[in-house]
Amino acid sequence: MLKELLDRIDNKRDVKIEVEEYGVYNTRKTEAIYNDATSCYQTRGRNNRILDVSSVNSFIDFIDEELDRCNNKTGKLATVVVNDEGGSFCADDDFGGKRCDYERSLTTLWKTLKSVANCKLNHEELLTTLQRLRPCISNFEDLYLKLLDIRTIGRSEMISNPVFMNGEAGCGYKIKYKLQNGVQDESELPSNFICVVPYAKGRPDVTYDIPIELMFLNNGSGRIEVLFQCSELERIEEKALQDEVDYLKEKLSKYSDLLVLLNY
């Protein structure tokens, strides 16, 4: 033990030295400290902070602030990736800089619409869905009252399947049924309406008109089912995503070297 100690004294090394660190694209000088346990110099690990945000504006604010702290005026070697779930940002692709993950938070109205799009609903489910979508349906009161007629139809005997009517007065479904006292009656139910829905939280002023088509079906037992069709939702969602990307690019356009990748 004494001999090893004397050998270390005789072969004294610098505690700290400057070494070359290799990144993906470049090299840089960094400090290395001698580790007696491993008998070699080691560089200190860097703390690469990772944050999460849920709105595009917070994502933009983080990128702005991080590039400013790095004194990176052009966004060189920094990358933004945008996907259908949100995206990510790396401040330095060379040596691994600060990172921010963007997990897009959709509005409650949009998530409600997606959960029932192109699904079959019974009467109670339809009314509950309409109540949840009430803020984005301009003619909610009129639509809701008309669809309450299904409550009467559901307690009666269907005479025929729903028939689609398309005339000058409008379009909808005509349903003939027989009441419990034997009297026949019929109702006309609306076949479509529009939902004006904001896409992501943080930008409530950006909304999209989403057409909804209702198809009334006889489930074979005299009760009505409603197919809640939303055939345009996927296309409109892609447009909403592209609009967000365009907004992000516009806000970050001052960084001429910033790489923005679309991955969806």
Side-chain angles (χ1 to χ4, degrees), residues 60-68 251-252 254-255:
I60 293 168
D61 288 344
F62 179 92
I63 295 170
D64 273 331
E65 181 62 25
E66 195 59 43
L67 292 178
D68 182 61
K251 293 295 184 180
L252 299 176
K254 59 186 175 182
Y255 303 111

Side-chain angles (χ1 to χ4, degrees), residues 173-189:
Y173 284 85
K174 180 175 288 187
I175 299 176
K176 295 183 179 181
Y177 55 95
K178 183 186 294 184
L179 300 174
Q180 292 179 349
N181 60 8
V183 176
Q184 293 187 14
D185 203 349
E186 64 181 31
S187 289
E188 290 189 12
L189 302 176

Side-chain angles (χ1 to χ4, degrees), residues 84-210:
D84 54 2
E85 299 295 330
S88 63
F89 166 73
C90 181
D92 185 359
D93 288 327
D94 203 354
F95 293 95
K98 302 296 188 298
R99 178 184 173 90
C100 180
D101 289 332
Y102 167 37
E103 297 180 7
R104 185 180 298 104
S105 182
L106 300 179
T107 63
T108 301
L109 291 171
W110 195 282
K111 289 190 287 188
T112 297
L113 197 57
K114 286 196 69 171
S115 69
V116 297
N118 305 311
C119 293
K120 288 182 181 179
L121 308 177
N122 61 35
H123 183 237
E124 290 76 14
E125 291 170 337
L126 176 63
L127 294 182
T128 299
T129 297
L130 291 176
Q131 289 169 346
R132 293 170 64 190
L133 293 173
R134 180 173 186 164
C136 64
I137 303 174
S138 61
N139 62 331
F140 172 81
E141 299 293 342
D142 181 54
L143 178 69
Y144 193 81
L145 288 175
K146 288 181 179 178
L147 291 173
L148 278 175
D149 279 347
I150 301 177
R151 194 181 300 275
T152 300
I153 299 170
R155 293 196 298 264
S156 60
E157 178 185 350
M158 293 284 298
I159 297 176
S160 63
N161 288 323
V163 177
F164 182 71
M165 308 294 291
N166 189 5
E168 293 182 1
C171 58
Y173 284 85
K174 180 175 288 187
I175 299 176
K176 295 183 179 181
Y177 55 95
K178 183 186 294 184
L179 300 174
Q180 292 179 349
N181 60 8
V183 176
Q184 293 187 14
D185 203 349
E186 64 181 31
S187 289
E188 290 189 12
L189 302 176
S191 62
N192 55 71
F193 61 95
I194 299 291
C195 285
V196 183
V197 190
Y199 176 55
K201 292 183 178 179
R203 300 182 69 201
D205 55 319
V206 182
T207 59
Y208 297 88
D209 292 356
I210 302 179

